[in-house]
């Protein structure tokens, strides 16, 4: 046993002597990774402890799975899981939109107009979440918002969309479309640029019209990319955009807008008596589900597209 | 078969419908921007009564003048710039330091460090343990908390490494070795100067993310003098923080209310302006970045 250990040690020593410059270089970023990623991973143990700040991480007493049980048994549990999944699935539902936009941009024949459309549709991607939610609030303000006035003109009813729990998932998703549809289309636009022109020419000779050619040539060409991105997005199914959800939350829409990440923040950091252990346990649950999904999804991607992540 | 194809919708119709739909979509994307711009140049009273919907009503620049009077915004601007510039420069430098050794196939620690980095992409301690760490490091309420935790990104290192592997020929390395150039010199004199395009991409990712984020600042900063712009924007746009009105008469209060309403619009414009001005120039790098990222998978 001891002999083997020595030999590993000796090997490491030899490697370090040989590549000492490379080791020095890489240890600079790696030390940050160790401090800011691996020490928190070590701290995850408080998910299984009754954490007392005065005792610290090490000396707080172990309590097994109590924090997890508390979470699973709380009345909030099913609600926030459903809310989180609702936003994720809604996101998947609209995932073909960037493909459609890319196809549309691809068939704008006027080069200048195409460029202009691209420029305009990418631009909102650079707007911050704070500003995005600020704009939503201004547009839908019950008294002064032009969108709200438009709805009033059409339906004759004054509705407070910002305070509506049923409207929240739609508002969240479609404002996201507004912000990033153009940007998400970029990858498909460049994929479409790789379609063989001869295929189209041959199809035209055979009398295929534009719709047929899009259906039989363009769509099969972008499909693998689409499927791959969709499958990979599954691993983030419990991850929602904290920054945006949190900003859009208010006491009236909380029924549908409380998701796992915002709940962790509230329970673990801003509550009157922050429950660090419970917050960490929920975070860990979230991470583990993500990890399991990633492994499953990676298998599927490997089978379907022959393109696994590792 | 052929005649059947031709009885379908003609290509001209399809092109026409496409133009109509894409124009509608582009206008929808454009509308909120136009509305905010117009409202920011409008009379506060008109905005408060919902009279502005497309063009400015009662043109005025008072909203923008108010920004300069509201010193907090200037503080926010300066802080955001500071966090963005320092963070971006250091972050790109870190990516280079990490990427070069990993690009060397003969580097003995390569596999170990690759795995160490890869794990961080798929598993993290989460919010609470990170918070406890930052607290015990004494970083709460300091400028460093806005820069250090997000400095090293495994993903950026991998993208950089892929770039080095794909664009810098191995012969160059062998030739430099012949000339007696060591690893430090090779990194600083050859790899970094040859990697400017990818460094531009990584810098942009970091800069845009840094300018637009508020979450780190919200949990770790208490001192208003350290707040980035996004936190002040959040106060004005979303939290209805009122300017103190207790000492004023009704007319003055009303005036203030209008000004505050205007301030929301002008601040949206002012807060988004730096990226919007830079955007046409940086856009192509972003597109390039998307492609590099997707190649990596």
């Amino acid at each position: 046993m001891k002999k083997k250990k020595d030999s590993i040690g000796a090997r490491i020593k030899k490697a370090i002597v040989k590549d000492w410059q490379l080791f020095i270089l890489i240890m600079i970023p790696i030390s940050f990774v160790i401090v800011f990623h691996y020490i928190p991973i070590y701290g995850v143990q408080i998910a299984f402890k009754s954490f007392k700040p005065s005792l610290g991480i090490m000396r707080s007493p172990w309590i097994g799975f109590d924090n997890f049980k508390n979470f699973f048994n709380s009345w909030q549990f099913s609600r926030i899981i459903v809310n989180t999944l609702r936003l994720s699935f809604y996101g998947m539902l609209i995932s073909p939109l960037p493909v459609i936009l890319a196809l549309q941009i691809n068939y704008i024949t006027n080069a200048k107009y195409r460029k202009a459309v691209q420029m305009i549709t990418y631009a909102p991607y650079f707007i911050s979440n704070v500003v995005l939610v600020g704009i939503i609030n201004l547009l839908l303000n019950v008294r002064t918002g032009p969108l709200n006035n438009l709805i009033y003109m059409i339906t004759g009813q004054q509705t407070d969309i910002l305070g509506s729990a049923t409207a929240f998932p739609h508002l969240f998703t479609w404002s996201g479309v507004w912000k990033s549809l153009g940007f998400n289309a970029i990858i498909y636009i460049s994929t479409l640029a790789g379609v063989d022109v001869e295929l189209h020419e041959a199809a035209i000779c055979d009398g295929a019209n534009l719709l047929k050619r899009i259906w039989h040539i363009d769509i099969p060409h972008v499909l693998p990319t689409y499927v791959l991105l969709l499958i990979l997005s599954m691993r983030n199914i419990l991850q929602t955009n904290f920054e945006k959800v949190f900003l859009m939350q208010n006491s009236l829409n909380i029924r549908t807008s409380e998701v796992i990440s915002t709940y962790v923040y509230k329970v673990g950091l801003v509550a009157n008596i922050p429950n660090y252990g419970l917050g960490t346990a929920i975070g860990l649950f979230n991470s583990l589900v993500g990890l399991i999904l990633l492994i499953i999804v990676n298998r599927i991607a490997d089978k379907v597209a022959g393109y696994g992540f590792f | 078969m052929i005649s059947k194809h031709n009885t379908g919708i003609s290509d001209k119709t399809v092109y026409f419908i496409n133009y109509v739909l894409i124009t509608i979509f582009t206008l929808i994307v454009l509308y909120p921007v136009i509305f905010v711009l117009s409202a920011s140049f409008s009379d506060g009273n008109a905005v408060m009564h919902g009279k502005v919907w497309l063009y400015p009503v009662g043109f005025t620049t008072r909203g923008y003048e108010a920004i300069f009077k509201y010193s907090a915004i200037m503080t926010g601007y300066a802080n955001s710039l500071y966090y963005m510039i320092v963070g971006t420069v250091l972050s790109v430098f870190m990516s280079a330091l990490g990427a070069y050794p990993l690009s060397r196939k003969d580097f003995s620690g390569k596999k170990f460090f690759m795995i160490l980095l890869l794990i961080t992409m798929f598993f993290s301690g989460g919010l609470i343990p990170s918070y406890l760490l930052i607290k015990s490091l004494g970083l709460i309420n300091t400028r460093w908390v806005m820069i250090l935790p997000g400095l090293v990104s495994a993903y950026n290192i991998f993208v950089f490494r892929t770039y080095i592997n794909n664009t810098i020929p191995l012969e160059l390395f062998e030739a430099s070795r012949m000339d007696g150039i060591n690893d430090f010199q090779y990194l600083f004199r050859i790899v970094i100067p040859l990697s400017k395009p990818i460094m531009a991409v990584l810098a942009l990712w970091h800069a845009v993310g840094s300018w637009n984020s508020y979450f780190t600042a919200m949990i770790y900063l208490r001192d208003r003098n350290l707040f980035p712009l996004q936190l002040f924007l959040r106060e004005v746009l979303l939290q209805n923080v009122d300017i103190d009105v207790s000492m004023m008469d009704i007319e003055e209060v009303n005036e203030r209310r209008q000004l505050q309403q205007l301030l929301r619009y002008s601040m949206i414009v002012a807060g988004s302006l730096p990226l919007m001005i830079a955007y046409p120039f940086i856009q192509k790098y972003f597109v390039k970045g998307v492609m590099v990222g997707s190649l990596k998978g």
Side-chain angles (χ1 to χ4, degrees), chain B residues 200-249:
Chain B
V201 170
L202 298 182
L204 283 169
W205 282 348
H206 197 278
V208 171
S210 156
W211 184 267
N212 282 341
S213 81
Y214 74 91
F215 182 62
T216 316
M218 179 178 80
I219 34 180
Y220 296 125
L221 296 182
R222 306 273 168 277
D223 180 356
R224 290 175 66 84
N225 288 323
L226 300 178
F227 278 10
L229 184 65
Q230 298 296 331
L231 277 192
F232 290 116
L233 279 173
R234 177 167 165 257
E235 280 183 359
V236 172
L237 289 174
L238 303 168
Q239 293 180 314
N240 296 317
V241 175
D242 256 314
I243 300 163
D244 183 29
V245 291
S246 54
M247 301 294 283
M248 290 175 263
D249 57 55

Side-chain angles (χ1 to χ4, degrees), chain A residues 117-129:
Chain A
V117 168
Q118 278 181 282
M119 280 291 269
I120 293 168
T121 52
Y122 293 175
Y125 183 78
F126 295 91
I127 287 175
S128 75
N129 283 314

Side-chain angles (χ1 to χ4, degrees), chain A residues 29-153:
Chain A
I30 289 291
S31 53
F32 278 91
V33 169
I34 288 169
V35 173
F36 291 106
H37 280 279
Y38 281 94
I39 293 180
I41 289 177
Y42 169 79
V44 161
Q45 58 176 282
I46 64 173
F48 306 96
K49 286 184 162 179
S50 168
F51 180 70
K52 306 264 184 317
S54 54
L55 294 176
I57 292 174
M58 280 296 283
R59 279 178 295 163
S60 291
W62 293 95
I63 51 165
F65 286 90
D66 283 8
N67 285 324
F68 292 88
K69 282 181 202 149
N70 276 342
F71 175 51
F72 296 142
N73 292 332
S74 91
W75 64 274
Q76 291 265 44
F77 175 70
S78 58
R79 195 168 89 173
I80 64 171
I81 296 285
V82 168
N83 287 345
T84 308
L85 290 177
R86 185 188 294 121
L87 294 184
S88 293
F89 282 118
Y90 205 156
M92 284 182 193
L93 209 64
I94 52 119
S95 64
L97 292 180
V99 181
I100 296 172
L101 180 67
L103 282 168
Q104 287 195 280
I105 289 177
N106 196 40
Y107 283 101
I108 298 176
T109 41
N110 181 325
K112 270 192 188 144
Y113 192 57
R114 182 167 61 226
K115 192 121 204 211
V117 168
Q118 278 181 282
M119 280 291 269
I120 293 168
T121 52
Y122 293 175
Y125 183 78
F126 295 91
I127 287 175
S128 75
N129 283 314
V130 174
V131 168
L132 175 66
V133 178
I135 293 178
I136 295 172
N137 288 359
L138 292 172
L139 283 173
L140 290 172
N141 184 294
V142 178
R143 276 186 311 125
T144 65
L147 266 192
N148 218 74
N149 290 343
L150 186 72
I151 294 167
Y152 176 66
M153 265 166 25

Side-chain angles (χ1 to χ4, degrees), chain A:
Chain A
M1 192 64 190
K2 205 172 175 218
K3 210 174 177 186
K4 205 181 171 193
K5 221 176 179 179
D6 278 342
S7 78
I8 289 174
R11 255 167 53 203
I12 291 174
K13 205 185 258 174
K14 217 170 138 192
I16 292 177
V17 169
K18 178 173 90 65
D19 291 331
W20 67 273
Q21 291 180 334
L22 295 178
F23 275 101
I24 287 178
L25 289 174
I26 201 162
M27 277 320 289
I28 298 168
I30 289 291
S31 53
F32 278 91
V33 169
I34 288 169
V35 173
F36 291 106
H37 280 279
Y38 281 94
I39 293 180
I41 289 177
Y42 169 79
V44 161
Q45 58 176 282
I46 64 173
F48 306 96
K49 286 184 162 179
S50 168
F51 180 70
K52 306 264 184 317
S54 54
L55 294 176
I57 292 174
M58 280 296 283
R59 279 178 295 163
S60 291
W62 293 95
I63 51 165
F65 286 90
D66 283 8
N67 285 324
F68 292 88
K69 282 181 202 149
N70 276 342
F71 175 51
F72 296 142
N73 292 332
S74 91
W75 64 274
Q76 291 265 44
F77 175 70
S78 58
R79 195 168 89 173
I80 64 171
I81 296 285
V82 168
N83 287 345
T84 308
L85 290 177
R86 185 188 294 121
L87 294 184
S88 293
F89 282 118
Y90 205 156
M92 284 182 193
L93 209 64
I94 52 119
S95 64
L97 292 180
V99 181
I100 296 172
L101 180 67
L103 282 168
Q104 287 195 280
I105 289 177
N106 196 40
Y107 283 101
I108 298 176
T109 41
N110 181 325
K112 270 192 188 144
Y113 192 57
R114 182 167 61 226
K115 192 121 204 211
V117 168
Q118 278 181 282
M119 280 291 269
I120 293 168
T121 52
Y122 293 175
Y125 183 78
F126 295 91
I127 287 175
S128 75
N129 283 314
V130 174
V131 168
L132 175 66
V133 178
I135 293 178
I136 295 172
N137 288 359
L138 292 172
L139 283 173
L140 290 172
N141 184 294
V142 178
R143 276 186 311 125
T144 65
L147 266 192
N148 218 74
N149 290 343
L150 186 72
I151 294 167
Y152 176 66
M153 265 166 25
I154 296 169
T155 63
Q157 271 176 329
Q158 213 37 293
T159 35
D160 181 16
I161 298 166
L162 296 171
S164 155
T166 39
F168 171 77
H170 304 291
L171 204 56
F172 178 83
T173 309
W174 290 100
S175 59
V177 168
W178 180 81
K179 179 175 150 121
S180 31
L181 186 58
F183 190 76
N184 292 339
I186 292 178
I187 186 155
Y188 298 114
I189 292 173
S190 31
T191 313
L192 282 172
V195 174
D196 195 348
V197 187
E198 283 178 17
L199 276 177
H200 277 284
E201 282 166 358
I204 292 169
C205 284
D206 289 345
N209 65 17
L210 186 58
L211 281 183
K212 293 256 176 198
R213 283 188 279 129
I214 290 174
W215 185 253
H216 292 291
I217 299 172
D218 292 339
I219 290 187
H221 190 81
V222 294
L223 203 59
T225 313
Y226 170 72
V227 172
L228 185 72
L229 290 180
L230 185 67
I231 292 172
L232 289 177
S233 74
M234 300 277 280
R235 71 191 143 125
N236 296 325
I237 209 159
L238 289 188
Q239 237 84 44
T240 36
N241 183 345
F242 173 95
E243 285 211 349
K244 197 174 147 206
V245 175
F246 184 69
L247 292 170
M248 290 181 72
Q249 259 179 9
N250 54 48
S251 52
L252 297 168
N253 67 18
I254 199 80
R255 191 160 56 79
T256 55
S257 65
E258 189 80 290
V259 294
I260 298 176
S261 54
T262 55
Y263 187 67
V264 170
Y265 172 71
K266 283 173 193 166
V267 170
L269 282 187
V270 289
N272 285 334
I273 310 155
N275 191 337
Y276 292 130
L278 181 58
T280 309
I282 302 169
L284 180 60
F285 165 75
N286 208 355
S287 271
L288 287 180
V289 173
L291 206 62
I292 293 165
L293 279 172
L294 171 73
I295 293 164
I296 296 171
V297 151
N298 188 63
R299 285 266 160 80
I300 299 172
D302 215 6
K303 281 236 168 79
V304 174
Y307 194 99
F309 204 87
F310 31 65

